[in-house]
Amino acid sequence: MNNYAVFLRGINVGGISIKMADLTSALKDYPFAKVKTLLASGNVVLQSELSAKDVKAQFEKCLRETFGYDAWVVVLTAARVAELVDACPYPADDKTTHSYITLASDAAMLDELFQAGEALDGVEQVRLGPEASAWLAPAGGTLDSPLSKLSAKPRYKASTTTRNLRTLIKVRDAAGAL
């Protein structure tokens, strides 16, 4: 069995509301074990014998069939989540900035997003690997930050999602404890 973290894009915002208990219940019909949801914001840890690619396909199928919306997820092994947390050069707790990691299921889209971010004034970001980049936003101004506005564009919806570094630490710990 492999331990995975699954990051859902766009739930409990924009009219798509899913109760985590309902999600956990729906996933019982799929080849997953030890399913746990975290923080009611689209973070799930689970075990499966499937590959990450197949976990993604099955998870998205569950969301589409059960909850009736175009669902996208990013799936990473627990070990990879731990590597990304360790590789992030930004602090998890700082009073003036918040550290974020954008995760992607499509490296080319993350390449595009990262390059577009490089062209923006005031953006501090670093690439962590083919599926992740880290960036900073001013405390209290995340949604107004240039990179946040850029990554919210519909073009990136199907392949990227962003989490606060503190959230990723919680996901890392939960996935590692399965």
Side-chain angles (χ1 to χ4, degrees):
M1 287 288 227
N2 299 304
N3 291 6
Y4 291 106
V6 181
F7 302 93
L8 288 69
R9 166 78 187 224
I11 68 159
N12 297 334
V13 295
I16 299 169
S17 181
I18 298 175
K19 293 180 180 164
M20 295 298 102
D22 294 342
L23 176 59
T24 302
S25 179
L27 291 168
K28 288 181 181 176
D29 294 331
Y30 289 82
F32 308 134
K34 296 187 178 181
V35 175
K36 294 181 184 175
T37 61
L38 304 162
L39 307 172
S41 58
N43 306 293
V44 177
V45 295
L46 57 82
Q47 289 185 329
S48 182
E49 292 184 7
L50 299 176
S51 69
K53 180 180 176 183
D54 290 336
V55 168
K56 176 179 171 49
Q58 289 293 306
F59 207 102
E60 288 176 346
K61 178 181 177 188
C62 174
L63 292 172
R64 289 179 177 134
E65 291 180 356
T66 306
F67 302 104
Y69 78 102
D70 286 332
W72 299 283
V73 301
V74 174
V75 177
L76 299 172
T77 64
R80 187 62 180 144
V81 172
E83 291 169 357
L84 294 172
V85 166
D86 290 343
C88 184
Y90 305 128
D93 291 304
D94 182 78
K95 291 182 192 233
T96 61
T97 61
H98 293 286
S99 301
Y100 290 93
I101 296 181
T102 297
L103 305 167
S105 58
D106 180 341
M109 290 305 287
L110 188 61
D111 289 342
E112 179 184 306
L113 179 60
F114 190 84
Q115 289 170 358
E118 291 285 289
L120 298 172
D121 288 332
V123 171
E124 185 174 344
Q125 64 177 348
V126 63
R127 194 67 182 260
L128 302 177
E131 74 286 78
S133 62
W135 53 282
L136 288 174
T142 300
L143 295 178
D144 294 325
S145 72
L147 196 54
S148 181
K149 288 180 179 181
L150 177 64
S151 67
K153 290 187 175 191
R155 175 157 180 75
Y156 304 110
K157 184 176 183 179
S159 59
T160 66
T161 190
T162 299
R163 296 296 187 274
N164 186 292
L165 179 57
R166 290 185 315 274
T167 297
L168 239 51
I169 290 169
K170 290 174 184 173
V171 171
R172 175 203 62 196
D173 294 348
L178 288 175

